[in-house]
């Protein structure tokens, strides 16, 4: 930096500047404030919450304090053994230890100081039960939140994904969703109760169609936003990161673009980059991800363009895992800015996923990241995947949601939106006619369906093992015997959905240490610069150990980063224009 740059005035000064407004970013802001530091949060969108707001909002926290209370058990030894096996060659002992030690502490801190509450889910299993995963308890979901507590700030909260709402409107928790989707005892009464609560809230309906009772990611972000409001922590919307500023090999601030004006923000203690991955940046996708790849396939909001990763690299930070994503099969819904991920539909009976040759290539009920790895592996072998197709029959259509539509018992084909049939969801009276419509080999598809029908009769899938473990069966139909994930595909008409290899976010990002500090290629620390969430290279490597393995590490390392920043000596600015205390929120 030149002497002229070193002496330049800053427009505003804070101890900590946090880039992004998802769960990790807001956790860092709350904890930094409670550590006695002044904080500014910036968000480039005109709404806050990032990908966290449209997510399930769950966090995967081994050894959390609720496990024993609910009758379960866990230990450091069990968690570390499971992670070492699942994560494999990317296993980072120091970072994993920091995560396991600080995750439960972070949960307790937020409940005590920020009134952000999580509830352990006893029956939501880890994704790999056959590798030592637990049958439940490690995943925690946010408690419902009353949107009225946010006042006018609710209007700026990124809306929940329609895929997580009953009829695109009515909120439900993860536990409620499982009861309804798996058709467990009492599911009809629960659905009716949720609907009645929504329609009877007439006072709230006068203001908005959005549900007052926030759940999942919306509840998590809203709760953290309420904590910011209580503390008077400013959140600037429509403020985008342009670059990091350095002095003497240390990050000391950032340049931002706010409402058409470039501002320089001094961060006396540190900058926390928590602004997502690069899934909406087509050029970065082309550079790093497997082919084919398209930004429009993502299930994340179209805001994550790698700004934090790029700024960190320009400042000397190194990256890792750039070829990997938190993969998820996605489907297009006309009029929506992002595609919808298929989380549960694949596990239901009476469906099969095939490539364009009409051949099955994966256990449909497998963890969603594994589905994407399987799609690309099959495409490399056959050049006949991406897209794939989810094929199902009329009984499936009647009973279950299918990505873009409610069950046919609620939303019959006569209610399919105009223009969707044979463009979004395909239908034909015979499998061969359906195959012709979607460009799939008809003979191979018929053989595949015949095999699946035999598997359903036997209750065992010898090809890929669908329904063969606890996680597979979690979203299966509890009324389908002997295997809740296998049923015959036999009743006309037949249907198909196009499946793209999308994602919830990218895994690749800035390399960090156990304190969330960004690392250079030689392993040295880029002082003053921290990265969490999808701006950092994923703690979990190429895999996905359990529900909440994205947000759990994001919030935990945000907590760790804020604690570490509090130990750093402040860097004084030369001739600042305005202090944090003098700037209105």
């Amino acid at each position: 930096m030149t002497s002229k740059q070193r002496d330049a005035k800053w427009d505003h000064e804070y101890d900590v500047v946090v880039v992004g407004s998802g769960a990790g970013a807001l956790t860092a802001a709350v904890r930094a404030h409670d550590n006695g530091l002044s904080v500014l949060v910036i968000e480039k969108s005109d709404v806050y919450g990032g990908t966290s707001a449209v997510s399930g909002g769950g966090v995967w926290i081994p050894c959390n304090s609720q496990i024993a209370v609910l009758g379960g058990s866990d230990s450091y030894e069990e968690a570390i053994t499971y992670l070492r096996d699942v994560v494999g060659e990317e296993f980072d002992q120091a970072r994993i230890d920091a995560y396991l030690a600080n995750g439960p502490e972070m949960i307790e801190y937020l409940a005590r100081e920020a009134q952000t509450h999580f509830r352990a889910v006893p029956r939501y299993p880890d994704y790999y039960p056959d590798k030592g995963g637990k049958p439940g308890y490690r995943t925690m979901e946010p408690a419902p939140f009353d949107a009225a507590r946010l006042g006018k700030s609710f209007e700026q909260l990124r809306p929940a994904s329609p895929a997580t709402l009953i009829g695109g409107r009515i909120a439900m928790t993860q536990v409620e969703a499982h009861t309804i989707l798996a058709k467990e005892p009492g599911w009809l009464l629960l659905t009716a109760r949720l609907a009645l609560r929504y329609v009877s809230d007439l006072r709230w309906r006068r203001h908005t169609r959005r549900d007052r009772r926030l759940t999942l990611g919306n509840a998590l972000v809203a709760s953290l936003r309420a904590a910011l409001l209580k503390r008077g922590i400013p959140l600037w919307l429509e403020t985008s990161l342009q670059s990091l500023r350095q002095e003497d090999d240390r990050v000391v601030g950032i340049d931002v673009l706010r409402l058409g004006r470039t501002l320089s923000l001094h961060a006396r203690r540190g900058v926390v980059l928590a602004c997502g991955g690069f899934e909406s940046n087509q050029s970065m996708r082309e550079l790093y991800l497997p082919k084919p790849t398209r930004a429009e396939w993502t299930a994340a909001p179209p805001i994550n363009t790698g700004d934090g990763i790029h700024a960190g690299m320009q400042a000397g930070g190194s990256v890792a895992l750039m070829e990997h994503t938190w993969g998820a099969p996605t489907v297009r819904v006309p009029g929506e800015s992002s595609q919808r991920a298929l989380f549960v539909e694949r596990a239901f009976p009476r469906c099969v996923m095939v490539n364009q040759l009409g051949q099955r290539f994966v256990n449909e009920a497998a963890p969603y990241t594994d589905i994407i790895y399987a799609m690309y592996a099959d495409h490399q072998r056959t050049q006949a995947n991406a897209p794939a197709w989810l094929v199902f029959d009329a009984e499936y259509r009647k009973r279950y949601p299918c990505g873009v539509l409610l069950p046919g018992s609620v939303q019959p084909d006569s209610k399919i939106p105009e223009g969707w049939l044979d463009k979004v969801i395909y239908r034909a009276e015979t499998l061969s006619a359906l195959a012709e419509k979607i460009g799939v080999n008809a003979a191979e598809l018929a053989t595949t369906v015949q095999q699946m029908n035999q598997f359903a009769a036997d209750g065992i899938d010898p090809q890929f093992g669908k329904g063969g473990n606890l996680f597979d069966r979690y979203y299966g139909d509890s009324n389908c015997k002997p295997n809740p994930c296998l049923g015959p595909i036999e009743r006309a008409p037949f249907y198909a959905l196009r499946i793209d290899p999308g994602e919830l976010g990218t895994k690749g990002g800035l390399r960090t240490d156990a304190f969330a500090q960004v690392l250079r290629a030689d392993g040295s620390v880029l002082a003053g610069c921290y990265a969490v969430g999808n701006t950092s290279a994923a703690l979990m490597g190429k895999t996905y150990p359990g529900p909440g393995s994205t947000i759990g590490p994001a919030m935990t390392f945000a907590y760790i980063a804020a604690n570490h920043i509090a130990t750093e000596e402040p860097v004084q600015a030369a001739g600042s224009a305005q202090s944090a205390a003098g700037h209105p929120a």
Side-chain angles (χ1 to χ4, degrees):
M1 177 174 285
T2 67
S3 59
K4 182 177 180 180
Q5 289 174 311
R6 186 176 293 111
D7 294 337
K9 291 182 178 180
W10 297 90
D11 293 292
H12 304 284
E13 287 186 59
Y14 292 84
D15 290 322
V16 182
V17 177
V18 180
V19 184
S21 64
L26 301 186
T27 299
V30 171
R31 182 58 176 172
H33 174 277
D34 288 1
N35 282 335
L37 306 177
S38 61
V39 187
L40 170 68
V41 180
I42 68 166
E43 164 59 53
K44 74 175 182 180
S45 178
D46 59 353
V47 291
Y48 63 86
T51 305
S52 298
V54 301
S55 74
V59 293
W60 191 74
I61 306 292
C63 304
N64 69 75
S65 65
Q66 296 180 29
I67 294 177
V69 176
L70 293 169
S73 65
D74 202 1
S75 68
Y76 168 83
E77 290 73 21
E78 291 174 293
I80 203 76
T81 299
Y82 176 62
L83 285 170
R84 186 177 288 112
D85 188 14
V86 172
V87 175
E89 61 186 16
E90 284 83 22
F91 182 86
D92 184 328
Q93 183 77 52
R95 293 177 72 208
I96 293 290
D97 279 343
Y99 177 55
L100 294 178
N102 286 273
E105 183 180 308
M106 177 270 296
I107 293 293
E108 296 300 313
Y109 157 74
L110 287 178
R112 183 180 64 252
E113 303 296 337
Q115 288 71 58
T116 295
H117 298 282
F118 286 90
R119 303 181 298 198
V121 184
R123 295 176 54 205
Y124 204 171
D126 294 343
Y127 286 163
Y128 301 98
D130 297 341
K131 293 186 177 183
K134 290 283 184 178
Y137 303 108
R138 285 173 171 169
T139 294
M140 311 180 79
E141 72 164 332
F145 184 91
D146 183 353
R149 290 176 53 192
L150 287 178
K152 290 189 176 298
S153 290
F154 171 65
E155 299 171 4
Q156 297 171 320
L157 170 64
R158 182 176 294 279
S161 168
T164 65
L165 306 171
I166 299 173
R169 295 191 190 183
I170 303 170
M172 53 185 170
T173 67
Q174 191 284 325
V175 172
E176 292 165 346
H178 175 253
T179 299
I180 293 169
L181 293 169
K183 298 188 183 299
E184 295 193 325
W187 73 274
L188 278 172
L189 181 61
L190 172 61
T191 304
R193 189 169 70 245
L194 292 174
L196 179 61
R197 178 200 49 77
Y198 175 87
V199 299
S200 63
D201 192 4
L202 300 178
R203 186 175 180 182
W204 189 255
R205 290 285 77 73
R206 287 199 291 267
H207 298 290
T208 177
R209 292 171 58 183
R210 294 169 67 178
D211 201 335
R212 176 206 296 263
R213 178 180 181 255
L214 304 180
T215 61
L216 308 179
N218 250 215
L220 173 57
V221 170
S223 177
L224 291 168
R225 178 68 176 117
L228 259 68
L229 290 168
K230 181 178 179 180
R231 288 160 172 78
I233 300 172
L235 167 60
W236 291 0
L237 300 178
E238 299 182 84
T239 305
S240 59
L241 171 67
Q242 301 298 296
S243 62
L244 298 174
R245 296 187 65 174
Q246 293 176 271
E247 269 185 33
D248 302 323
D249 290 329
R250 178 185 178 87
V251 171
V252 296
I254 63 175
D255 289 329
V256 303
L257 183 64
R258 187 182 193 215
L259 302 176
R261 181 186 172 201
T262 299
L263 300 174
S264 295
L265 308 178
H266 183 213
R268 289 185 289 258
R269 302 284 188 123
V271 172
V272 180
L273 300 174
C275 46
F278 61 87
E279 56 271 12
S280 290
N281 186 323
Q282 184 63 32
S283 62
M284 288 185 74
R285 295 180 72 103
E286 294 286 346
L287 181 61
Y288 295 113
L289 298 183
K291 310 299 185 300
T293 183
R294 299 297 307 168
E296 56 262 32
W297 293 343
T298 191
I303 55 172
N304 299 323
T305 53
D307 300 352
I309 298 171
H310 177 73
M313 292 173 69
Q314 290 293 106
S318 58
V319 295
L321 297 171
M322 295 295 281
E323 68 273 30
H324 297 284
T325 68
W326 300 98
T330 63
V331 297
R332 181 179 67 88
V333 179
E336 295 186 9
S337 60
S338 303
Q339 298 203 165
R340 292 191 190 183
L342 293 187
F343 293 116
V344 302
E345 293 89 341
R346 302 169 286 105
F348 295 142
R350 311 182 80 100
C351 71
V352 64
M353 190 177 291
V354 299
N355 61 19
Q356 288 159 286
L357 298 177
Q359 299 169 348
R360 190 170 178 235
F361 60 92
V362 71
N363 167 11
E364 293 85 357
Y368 29 95
T369 292
D370 289 357
I371 298 290
I372 301 308
Y373 283 133
M375 288 182 72
Y376 278 114
D378 182 71
H379 189 72
Q380 186 175 30
R381 180 179 63 86
T382 66
Q383 295 298 299
N385 215 310
W389 295 90
L390 185 71
V391 175
F392 49 95
D393 74 351
E395 194 63 28
Y396 178 109
R397 171 78 183 93
K398 175 184 175 182
R399 297 183 183 186
Y400 313 118
C402 54
V404 295
L405 298 174
L406 293 171
S409 57
V410 178
Q411 186 181 16
D413 285 2
S414 61
K415 299 297 184 181
I416 293 176
E418 185 177 355
W420 282 29
L421 200 58
D422 293 339
K423 290 184 179 179
V424 178
I425 184 168
Y426 295 76
R427 183 184 67 190
E429 289 300 317
T430 65
L431 280 172
S432 59
L434 182 68
E436 182 177 357
K437 282 188 175 184
I438 63 178
V440 164
N441 183 294
E444 288 288 342
L445 178 60
T447 298
T448 296
V449 168
Q450 184 179 19
Q451 289 176 334
M452 288 296 287
N453 290 349
Q454 185 60 55
F455 298 163
D458 297 339
I460 298 173
D461 171 14
Q463 189 176 23
F464 293 107
K466 184 178 183 182
N469 65 55
L470 188 62
F471 173 72
D472 282 12
R473 296 191 294 271
Y474 183 69
Y475 276 117
D477 186 339
S478 60
N479 301 298
C480 180
K481 310 294 183 184
N483 188 323
C485 301
L486 293 175
I489 306 167
E490 60 185 4
R491 183 183 160 202
F494 299 93
Y495 298 83
L497 279 177
R498 172 183 166 133
I499 306 297
D500 293 317
E503 69 283 314
L504 310 179
T506 47
K507 274 179 171 282
L510 297 166
R511 291 175 58 238
T512 55
D513 66 8
F515 298 105
Q517 296 179 110
V518 173
L519 300 175
R520 298 185 178 92
D522 63 3
S524 63
V525 168
L526 179 60
C529 187
Y530 299 77
V532 302
N534 290 350
T535 309
S536 63
L539 174 72
M540 302 306 179
K542 301 172 184 176
T543 192
Y544 209 143
S549 297
T550 52
I551 297 178
M555 294 178 67
T556 299
F557 279 98
Y559 177 80
I560 291 170
N563 288 339
H564 190 267
I565 290 171
T567 69
E568 294 289 278
E569 289 297 323
V571 178
Q572 299 301 325
S576 64
Q578 192 170 14
S579 69
H583 181 73

